[in-house]
Amino acid sequence: MRESLRMGSRAIWLYIVAAIVVGSVAGYFVLSVPDSPKFQSEAGVLDLTQVQVSTNPQKLTGEWAFYWKELLSPEDIRVRSERDGNQDHWISIPSSWLGYPLEGQQLSGTGYATYRLVIQLSEQDRNQRLALRLPSIFHAYKLWVNGELLTEVGEVGQDKSSMTPHLETKLLFFQPENDTVELVMQVANFNHKRGGITKVIELGGSNVLTVKTNLKIAADMFITASLLVIGIYNLLLFMLRRKDKAPLYFGLFTVLFGIRSLLGGEIMITQWFPQFPWELQFKMEYLILCVSGYIITMYFDCIFPHYVSRWFRLSTRIVTGTFCILVVITPALIYTKLLLAIGVMVVLHMVYLMVGLVQAAMRRMEGALIFLLVSMVTLVTVVNDFLYYSGWSVIGNTAPLGLLIFTFAQMILLSSRFTKTATNEERIARELQNANDKLVEMNMNLERTVQERTQALSTAHDDLRTSYDRLLHSEQGRKKLLAYITHDLRMPLSSMLGYVEAVQDRVKPERNEQYLKYIRENTIRINRMIEELSFLSHLETGQVSYRMKPVQIISFLRHFYEQYELVVRDAGLDFIIDIGDVEDQQPNLPIVEMDAKRVDQALFNLVSNAMKFTSRGGQVRIALAVNEVNQTGQAIISIQDSGIGIPPDQLEQIFERNYRYDQPGLDKGNEGSGLGLAICREIILAQGGTVRAESDGKLGATFYVTLPCIEREGRG
């Protein structure tokens, strides 16, 4: 017996060691260390005469001329050189000027300086359209190319009050007139512990660098969108079942790092919102780093209970809270000096958790080994990120990719847990049902006293059955939402991945713009689809509140018509409103108690549907009629189009979720999410009304919205 236990323990340790080794190796390959640049500048001159940069981009590394505490223009440098000769200092790029020895002293991270580099081009690059790919430079700069001011990011100044920090990546184009390119850059920093050109600047052909930049943006957006979608999905799971907090912490973790990925790399946040505050950007990034260790600890505690000690949980709250307070109340110049301490805190969290994972794996707990494997990959990428942002690593921002790998692995783990939970619930329900059947059979032959006690047991069983039904309904709702999201997102995400790989592999470089446009359109479509799915789910579960008020239906329809008239006419369609003789029934005008905003949304869904399936030159007609049914007035709003029509056998199906009508020859650009009519039906039903459709399947369709009237104006 002891020998078999000893052999089992050895096998577990072998699995653990294998997981650590595989995770470390995978993390190393994820980092993808770049090659050292072949050409480097010396004494401020970079000789590129032996390479054609228009087809082979080069990194502008090496020695640049450095003028500390001087903001010089190209003309100032030329005059000084003619007057005093070459008395320049040289600084290695990329690097911060923090700690640079100058005249017997080491420079601090704050200050301002001018950089200069002369590039000698080959004959093939003369009169070629070139581009400069500029990373984020700490923290404001001006750039001249051959004496021409090409760009300015932020405002360069000689003190903190006269400069404005800003972080932004740039792709600049220019065309040299000869074989020499002079770069002059003024850089100022008074807001961060490090200043200067800390990242690599690239020079190359405009087409090559444009493709490279677009690929980087597409990759960043894919990682960001994946993290945000997975995070929001897990938060929705927690809202549906609040007892299990693992999806809450996992959702918060992925959403926060999805937001953080917008603040690094290509810094998409400043490309979308150029006026986004610099200080807020840095505080958000540092706060996310501070809380990440605590959130992942709480997630680990939910997945593997009793492995996080009370003292560690208490100490991590205190330390995390202290760092967050320091980041909030202090300026960036102070809290950026804490980056190494924050990195040590996060790494210690992960090391502590991996010790717990080893213990969990020793006890053969489900998911511990895969958790340990991906944690090793994530740890390697996170450590590299802290070293990179501290200026000690040449490898770029790798944490988003490592976190994406970690996120996918956790999704598999959580899905497995949910599946097993549902299976156990079904097994328990069957056992309870069998036990109840036996009790009922026994109760048939017992005396009255025993029958009373059995009745109490039956009541308790009914309560358990009700609780089970609620749990089963919640689980079915989760599976249904997962099925809808999987159904609607699989194809566009797979298509987007295919186009990203096509761009990356340069299958057809001439179609890269078209591929990127398609990726962007699909991303917008996915976001809209998620919003509609979320809204429809809230409608179906009764989570949408309605503000019911008496509304004069004729005024409401006229306002609706005026609001969307231009939208319909811009689509090349005639838009007609027909109140008929209803308006002539003064003073008995129909009044409907409804939520005007929601009904407006439902009617616009019907109008949009009519526009989608009606060709230019067609017509959309909205009309109103009033009927009397069982002494109760009904306002009937009809929306008629002259489009392609709907087959009669599909008139009931069109209001179902995700239904789409595919007709040969129909423009694929008109394809929608299949949710508009379902949302319309839920809104109208909530108003106490009905909605139906009529069509002969050949020409046009008519939708009827019936709402009950509560009274007529002027009726005594």
Side-chain angles (χ1 to χ4, degrees), residues 189-203:
N189 170 61
F190 293 94
N191 302 82
H192 195 274
K193 72 170 185 176
R194 294 187 301 136
I197 307 174
T198 59
K199 300 178 183 179
V200 173
I201 300 174
E202 287 187 83
L203 172 67

Side-chain angles (χ1 to χ4, degrees), residues 187-308:
V187 181
N189 170 61
F190 293 94
N191 302 82
H192 195 274
K193 72 170 185 176
R194 294 187 301 136
I197 307 174
T198 59
K199 300 178 183 179
V200 173
I201 300 174
E202 287 187 83
L203 172 67
S206 59
N207 293 333
V208 177
L209 284 187
T210 298
V211 171
K212 185 175 182 179
T213 301
N214 290 336
L215 284 173
K216 185 67 170 62
I217 292 174
D220 286 357
M221 289 307 302
F222 173 76
I223 293 175
T224 301
S226 300
L227 291 173
L228 291 177
V229 169
I230 293 173
I232 293 173
Y233 165 71
N234 279 274
L235 292 177
L236 290 174
L237 285 183
F238 171 74
M239 293 176 64
L240 295 175
R241 188 173 184 269
R242 297 177 182 271
K243 183 178 180 180
D244 186 6
K245 292 187 177 181
L248 170 64
Y249 293 116
F250 183 63
L252 287 175
F253 182 80
T254 51
V255 166
L256 288 176
F257 274 90
I259 295 173
R260 183 180 178 270
S261 65
L262 296 175
L263 307 175
E266 293 298 312
I267 316 182
M268 299 304 299
I269 192 72
T270 56
Q271 295 191 27
W272 293 342
F273 308 102
Q275 303 302 322
F276 195 83
W278 178 90
E279 185 73 27
L280 178 60
Q281 175 184 345
F282 258 77
K283 284 187 183 294
M284 288 172 58
E285 184 174 0
Y286 273 72
L287 285 173
I288 291 173
L289 290 176
C290 290
V291 302
S292 61
Y294 174 75
I295 293 177
I296 202 65
T297 300
M298 299 307 296
Y299 169 69
F300 175 83
D301 193 38
C302 294
I303 298 295
F304 305 106
H306 313 303
Y307 280 90
V308 179

Side-chain angles (χ1 to χ4, degrees), residues 661-713:
Y661 171 46
D662 295 326
Q663 176 173 321
L666 181 63
D667 183 11
K668 292 300 181 182
N670 288 334
E671 182 179 353
S673 63
L675 300 174
L677 294 181
I679 292 174
C680 174
R681 179 179 62 180
E682 294 295 331
I683 292 175
I684 297 303
L685 290 177
Q687 316 298 312
T690 61
V691 59
R692 62 185 179 87
E694 291 183 358
S695 177
D696 59 2
K698 298 178 181 178
L699 179 61
T702 304
F703 288 82
Y704 295 92
V705 174
T706 302
L707 298 171
C709 297
I710 58 173
E711 60 178 286
R712 298 288 187 91
E713 282 190 0

Side-chain angles (χ1 to χ4, degrees), residues 491-687:
M491 181 173 295
L493 283 177
S494 300
S495 177
M496 289 167 62
L497 182 58
Y499 279 103
V500 170
E501 292 175 349
V503 174
Q504 189 174 17
D505 296 336
R506 299 183 179 181
V507 177
K508 291 185 178 181
E510 69 276 7
R511 301 188 66 181
N512 284 349
E513 291 291 336
Q514 181 181 353
Y515 292 160
L516 294 174
K517 180 180 179 182
Y518 180 82
I519 294 171
R520 179 180 180 275
E521 291 175 350
N522 259 312
T523 303
I524 295 173
R525 178 186 170 201
I526 290 172
N527 287 334
R528 183 170 63 250
M529 190 181 302
I530 292 174
E531 293 174 357
E532 291 181 349
L533 275 172
S534 176
F535 182 66
L536 182 55
S537 297
H538 289 160
L539 285 173
E540 293 177 341
T541 55
Q543 300 180 37
V544 175
S545 59
Y546 294 92
R547 298 182 179 179
M548 309 295 286
K549 294 181 180 179
V551 176
Q552 211 274 50
I553 194 66
I554 294 179
S555 299
F556 169 80
L557 284 180
R558 289 197 179 279
H559 180 266
F560 177 84
Y561 172 81
E562 294 171 356
Q563 183 178 1
Y564 298 110
E565 181 182 9
L566 289 179
V567 177
V568 179
R569 295 191 184 280
D570 286 346
L573 304 175
D574 288 334
F575 194 30
I576 300 173
I577 183 170
D578 183 10
I579 303 300
D581 59 350
V582 177
E583 194 170 19
D584 298 331
Q585 298 178 11
Q586 296 273 4
N588 297 323
L589 297 179
I591 302 294
V592 175
E593 186 175 24
M594 64 183 187
D595 186 330
K597 180 179 178 181
R598 296 300 183 191
V599 175
D600 182 286
Q601 179 182 359
L603 293 181
F604 183 67
N605 280 353
L606 295 177
V607 172
S608 298
N609 189 71
M611 295 167 58
K612 187 183 304 181
F613 296 100
T614 304
S615 302
R616 297 182 68 88
Q619 174 182 294
V620 178
R621 179 178 177 270
I622 181 169
L624 173 67
V626 177
N627 284 348
E628 197 83 13
V629 178
N630 296 329
Q631 297 182 348
T632 301
Q634 291 182 336
I636 303 175
I637 304 170
S638 62
I639 297 177
Q640 181 181 11
D641 63 70
S642 59
I644 61 176
I646 305 171
D649 59 342
Q650 299 186 28
L651 290 175
E652 293 298 327
Q653 304 175 30
I654 60 176
F655 294 98
E656 296 177 2
R657 182 198 290 242
N658 287 348
Y659 173 81
R660 297 184 181 90
Y661 171 46
D662 295 326
Q663 176 173 321
L666 181 63
D667 183 11
K668 292 300 181 182
N670 288 334
E671 182 179 353
S673 63
L675 300 174
L677 294 181
I679 292 174
C680 174
R681 179 179 62 180
E682 294 295 331
I683 292 175
I684 297 303
L685 290 177
Q687 316 298 312

